[in-house]
């Protein structure tokens, strides 16, 4: 098994050009080798970059402060997982400053796309610039900010549609199943693709009968929404509990399923003060990727999830 240091050195040998930090790397690297053939052009559809805070300061209104996670560490991760492409999503700690995401995309080159966070003050010229750099969607991070009011959620979703409907962009939502239910009519009528993060934040231990999950499945079945079958939070003792959720979504419509690591696995609900440094979760992404053949036994379906669907949505 490769050590973390060996993986980082391998990333440099493969062409990563960023400077490796000495003794400061914190983001997890896979401990379990991938056990199946990953198709060429596979994409990790959900990652974050946490840059050097001296260069990329965090948003004063953040609810947590993560450890850094740099492009060369991501390169090592994807070398081990056989992921050619990546989607980098601006995390909540930066507010509407997408500089760290753009930095990560530039380091990765043509195999990267981005999802930005904006507000009413973000000018169209900035959207134009980000679009040229490879950004192709905006994210509403309702969960991390604790937004559970359906009225607020609906307003923000409608506002997001207005900002991107003239572009070939999508709207990504990090929210809970109650908000999925509260906004399902808007999603069904959306002029742009809608993507739900992390199984719609369904609770795996509650299974497919939990309130709101059927609404998520129906939106996927109708083709009105994509869903990322990415596991958020820290390591799980009961990964098998995700099997019914994943299989229900995949069976509903394999053309609307995306996969992602959620690397570097930030801990946004540690209970620490927002300005206190919060360690990243140590998640074995090799083990998690090896769940995919259990969720999707057919090789053709896995190719849709890992290659074809991301290529279509993110215009690779």
């Amino acid at each position: 098994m490769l050590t973390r240091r060996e993986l980082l050195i391998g990333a440099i040998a493969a062409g990563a050009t960023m400077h490796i930090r000495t003794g400061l790397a914190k983001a997890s690297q896979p401990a379990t080798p991938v056990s199946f053939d990953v198709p060429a052009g596979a994409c990790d559809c959900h990652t974050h970059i946490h840059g050097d805070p001296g260069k990329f300061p965090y948003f004063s209104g953040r609810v947590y402060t993560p450890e850094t996670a740099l492009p060369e560490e991501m390169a090592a991760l994807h070398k081990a997982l056989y992921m050619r492409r990546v989607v980098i999503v601006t995390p909540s700690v930066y507010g509407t400053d997408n500089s760290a995401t753009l930095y990560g995309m530039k380091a990765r080159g043509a195999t990267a796309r981005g999802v930005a966070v904006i507000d009413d003050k973000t000018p169209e010229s900035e959207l134009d610039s980000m679009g040229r750099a490879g950004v192709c969607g905006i994210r509403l991070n309702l969960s991390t900010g604790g937004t559970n009011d359906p009225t607020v959620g609906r307003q923000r979703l409608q506002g997001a549609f207005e900002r991107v409907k003239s572009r070939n962009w999508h709207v990504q939502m990090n929210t809970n199943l109650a908000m999925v239910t509260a906004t399902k009519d808007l999603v069904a009528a959306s002029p742009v693709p809608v993507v739900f993060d992390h199984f719609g934040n369904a609770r795996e231990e509650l299974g497919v009968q939990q309130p709101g999950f059927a609404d998520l499945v129906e939106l996927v079945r109708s083709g009105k929404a994509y869903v990322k079958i990415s596991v958020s939070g820290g390591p799980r003792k009961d990964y098998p509990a995700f099997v019914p959720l994943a299989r229900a979504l995949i069976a509903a419509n394999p053309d609307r399923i995306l996969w992602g690591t959620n690397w570097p696995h930030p801990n946004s609900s540690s209970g620490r003060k927002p300005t206190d440094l919060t360690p990243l979760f140590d998640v074995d992404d090799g083990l998690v990727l090896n769940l995919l053949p259990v969720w999707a036994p057919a090789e053709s379906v896995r190719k849709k999830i890992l290659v074809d669907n991301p290529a279509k949505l993110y215009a690779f």
Side-chain angles (χ1 to χ4, degrees), residues 148-229:
N148 296 310
D149 184 339
T151 301
V152 174
R154 288 176 66 85
Q155 290 173 344
R156 291 190 60 186
L157 185 57
Q158 287 175 309
F161 292 159
E162 289 300 314
R163 290 304 303 270
V164 303
K165 68 180 183 180
S166 63
R167 304 171 181 272
N168 190 26
W169 286 19
H170 65 276
V171 173
Q172 178 177 319
M173 292 184 71
N174 182 22
T175 191
N176 55 38
L177 290 177
M179 191 68 76
V180 172
T181 298
T183 59
K184 64 180 181 180
D185 61 316
L186 298 180
V187 175
S190 172
V192 301
V194 175
V195 181
F196 289 105
D197 288 351
H198 312 313
F199 288 90
N201 285 306
R203 292 173 55 185
E204 68 273 17
E205 73 275 12
L206 297 181
V208 298
Q209 300 301 321
Q210 61 190 289
F213 189 72
D215 291 321
L216 179 63
V217 170
E218 183 53 38
L219 287 170
V220 170
R221 178 180 292 114
S222 67
K224 298 299 184 181
Y226 289 81
V227 65
K228 295 184 181 182
I229 51 173

Side-chain angles (χ1 to χ4, degrees), residues 37-280:
D37 290 333
V38 177
C43 183
D44 179 351
C45 293
H46 198 96
T47 67
H48 307 291
I49 289 293
H50 304 151
D52 178 347
K55 298 178 181 178
F56 303 98
Y58 295 124
F59 167 51
S60 62
R62 67 191 182 279
V63 299
Y64 70 103
T65 298
E67 296 175 304
T68 55
L70 299 184
E72 64 269 17
E73 296 176 90
M74 183 184 289
L77 170 88
H78 288 147
K79 184 173 185 290
L81 297 181
Y82 306 100
M83 293 288 146
R84 172 65 175 164
R85 296 165 174 167
V86 65
V87 178
I88 304 174
V89 181
T90 297
S92 67
V93 294
Y94 289 115
T96 59
D97 183 351
N98 296 285
S99 300
T101 293
L102 294 168
Y103 152 68
M105 294 168 61
K106 184 176 181 180
R108 188 60 169 256
T111 59
R113 296 290 185 269
V115 177
V117 176
I118 68 171
D119 62 15
D120 293 342
K121 298 179 182 178
T122 306
E124 290 296 314
S125 59
E126 185 173 336
L127 299 187
D128 292 338
S129 177
M130 291 194 294
R132 289 190 293 271
V135 168
C136 54
I138 61 173
R139 188 191 198 199
L140 300 181
N141 195 341
L142 304 181
S143 286
T144 303
T147 300
N148 296 310
D149 184 339
T151 301
V152 174
R154 288 176 66 85
Q155 290 173 344
R156 291 190 60 186
L157 185 57
Q158 287 175 309
F161 292 159
E162 289 300 314
R163 290 304 303 270
V164 303
K165 68 180 183 180
S166 63
R167 304 171 181 272
N168 190 26
W169 286 19
H170 65 276
V171 173
Q172 178 177 319
M173 292 184 71
N174 182 22
T175 191
N176 55 38
L177 290 177
M179 191 68 76
V180 172
T181 298
T183 59
K184 64 180 181 180
D185 61 316
L186 298 180
V187 175
S190 172
V192 301
V194 175
V195 181
F196 289 105
D197 288 351
H198 312 313
F199 288 90
N201 285 306
R203 292 173 55 185
E204 68 273 17
E205 73 275 12
L206 297 181
V208 298
Q209 300 301 321
Q210 61 190 289
F213 189 72
D215 291 321
L216 179 63
V217 170
E218 183 53 38
L219 287 170
V220 170
R221 178 180 292 114
S222 67
K224 298 299 184 181
Y226 289 81
V227 65
K228 295 184 181 182
I229 51 173
S230 52
V231 179
S232 64
R236 297 293 209 281
K237 294 181 180 179
D238 192 20
Y239 281 116
F242 282 95
V243 172
L245 302 179
R247 287 185 173 174
L249 290 164
I250 294 168
N253 190 347
D255 294 328
R256 290 296 181 269
I257 307 298
L258 307 164
W259 182 87
T261 56
N262 195 39
W263 187 92
H265 308 288
N267 183 354
S268 62
S269 57
S270 67
R272 299 179 183 224
K273 293 180 180 178
T275 53
D276 289 347
L277 188 66
T278 301
L280 299 165

